[in-house]
Amino acid sequence: MFRFAPSPTGDMHIGNLRVVLFNYIVSKQQGDRLIVRIEDTDTERNIDGKDREILEILNSFKIEYADVLYQSHNLKFHQQFASTLLQTGRAFNCFCTPEELDRKREEAEKNRVAFRYDGTCERMSDNDVLNMEKPSVVRIKRPDTSVKFNDLIKGDMEFQPEDIDNFILLRQDKRPTYNFACAIDDMLSDISTIIRGEDHLSNTPKQIAIQHALGYGKKIDYAHLPIILNIEGKKMSKRDSASSVKWLFEEGFIPEAIANYLFLIGNKTPKEIFTIEEAIEWFKIENISKAPAKFDIDKLRFVNREHLKLLDAEDLSKRVGYFDKTIGEIAKVYLEEASTLNELKSKIDKLFSKRAFDGEYGESVKILSGIVKELEPIEEFSEFKKALMSKSGLKGKNFFKPLRVLLTGEESGPELSLIYPLLKNYLQKIVE
Ligand code: GLU
């Protein structure tokens, strides 16, 4: 079983989308299934509705999942397993106050050593623990030996016990920490492969340590995806608008292209433009580069345009807000100079907008418009042009520019001979 475990704490980041796409594709390759686990135990940071938004995004990408689980529904299991670890001596109650710990942390920093929990409460007797009247957290006992695992991208990894440390499992309010909830939920869902962002690499030995302490023996495969850098070489963050999947949609990038692009960066692919279904045939998680991936919006624009070209006219028309195959065909012509749905839509909207008859060519556009109103339908563009030229008496630039404005609403654009055959049936509507 594979899992995608987003926190409903903000807009879905492209890094997270890449994680779920990779999980989806590898689960498909292995004939396995994918579950979505909404990690909602950090209640202060949850944002209402973000879980639904995440699921809607997965639907837009046609990512199939077997189930949606909410981490908060497992709270009783988190507490039960914490009790088990306390009973078996693999965890202990810790009464150190945040102030005491901060003081020790500052001291460690002054001495330029990494702060480690010093084991004060680990050595308390059962009686002392029972007699304590202070609130406590539950900490795991650090493992005796190093924790090793093989990462499908990064290779062999090994973490020393002191780097794993006596970390917290349950907070004072008895809510689990991320590492504890995650390790338990992965066990309960029988997860076999975890593909997630590299920022979780140092959490993995902690989660393995929890599972080992509980006697869980299943070997999980891990793949930690390198971070995505922006064009300036810095980690893509909320400050980069393009890091938000919602923003990319709002800008007119389509799911087919965004998915294609996220499979392309930091990877070796046999071709540049492909669908998710095609990628299932050849994708290898092991081929993902260890180095960070780079996000280049210009490249995404190129990929987006190529995918827009692949859509059939009816589909394209719908995506720019019209429901007419011929308008989709007009949009296809405009793909020469537009890369996103928004750019395309603004061209098509202009084409069907009421002409203003202002600016340098306004007067002439008005004359041509008046002529077209009286004109019988003409099949050929060359005939149409000839008729308008002779009836208006306009010539050269003074004819062609106004003609273009009349037909397209703009002073420059694609070949009119390409547009005219598609537009001729809408002419009377345009000059209305
Ligand atoms: N909820 C974590 C996050 O969104 C993911 C945890 C995981 O994949 O283990 O970063």
Side-chain angles (χ1 to χ4, degrees), residues 165-184:
D165 209 12
N166 302 294
F167 60 92
I168 297 176
L169 304 178
L170 286 190
R171 301 177 222 270
Q172 279 187 359
D173 61 6
K174 302 300 163 223
R175 278 190 300 130
T177 55
Y178 154 69
N179 275 317
F180 190 50
C182 181
I184 300 300

Side-chain angles (χ1 to χ4, degrees), residues 3-9 16 19 37 39 71 178 182 186 194-197 199-200 207:
R3 52 37 150 222
F4 171 52
S7 307
T9 52
N16 262 340
V19 162
R37 181 172 75 226
E39 300 212 320
Q71 185 156 65
Y178 154 69
C182 181
D186 286 335
I194 294 181
I195 302 174
R196 61 182 166 196
D199 45 336
H200 288 293
Q207 294 169 14

Side-chain angles (χ1 to χ4, degrees), residues 156-262:
D156 287 333
M157 306 298 300
E158 181 171 0
F159 290 80
Q160 298 307 320
E162 53 275 23
D163 293 327
I164 297 168
D165 209 12
N166 302 294
F167 60 92
I168 297 176
L169 304 178
L170 286 190
R171 301 177 222 270
Q172 279 187 359
D173 61 6
K174 302 300 163 223
R175 278 190 300 130
T177 55
Y178 154 69
N179 275 317
F180 190 50
C182 181
I184 300 300
D185 294 352
D186 286 335
M187 268 170 47
L188 293 175
S189 296
D190 194 23
I191 298 300
S192 51
T193 303
I194 294 181
I195 302 174
R196 61 182 166 196
E198 179 176 80
D199 45 336
H200 288 293
L201 190 63
S202 62
N203 289 324
T204 297
K206 295 184 176 175
Q207 294 169 14
I208 294 176
I210 292 166
Q211 291 168 349
H212 284 175
L214 285 165
Y216 186 68
K218 180 169 178 139
K219 186 183 154 292
I220 297 177
D221 287 330
Y222 290 92
H224 289 90
L225 304 182
I227 55 169
I228 304 179
L229 301 179
N230 65 17
I231 201 83
E232 289 159 5
K234 299 208 181 85
K235 187 175 170 187
M236 287 278 271
S237 72
K238 271 190 212 144
R239 253 174 270 149
D240 300 282
S241 347
S243 70
S244 155
V245 181
K246 208 165 100 186
W247 184 87
L248 291 174
F249 283 169
E250 282 162 8
E251 287 295 301
F253 291 97
I254 61 171
E256 294 89 329
I258 302 171
N260 183 153
Y261 183 66
L262 292 177

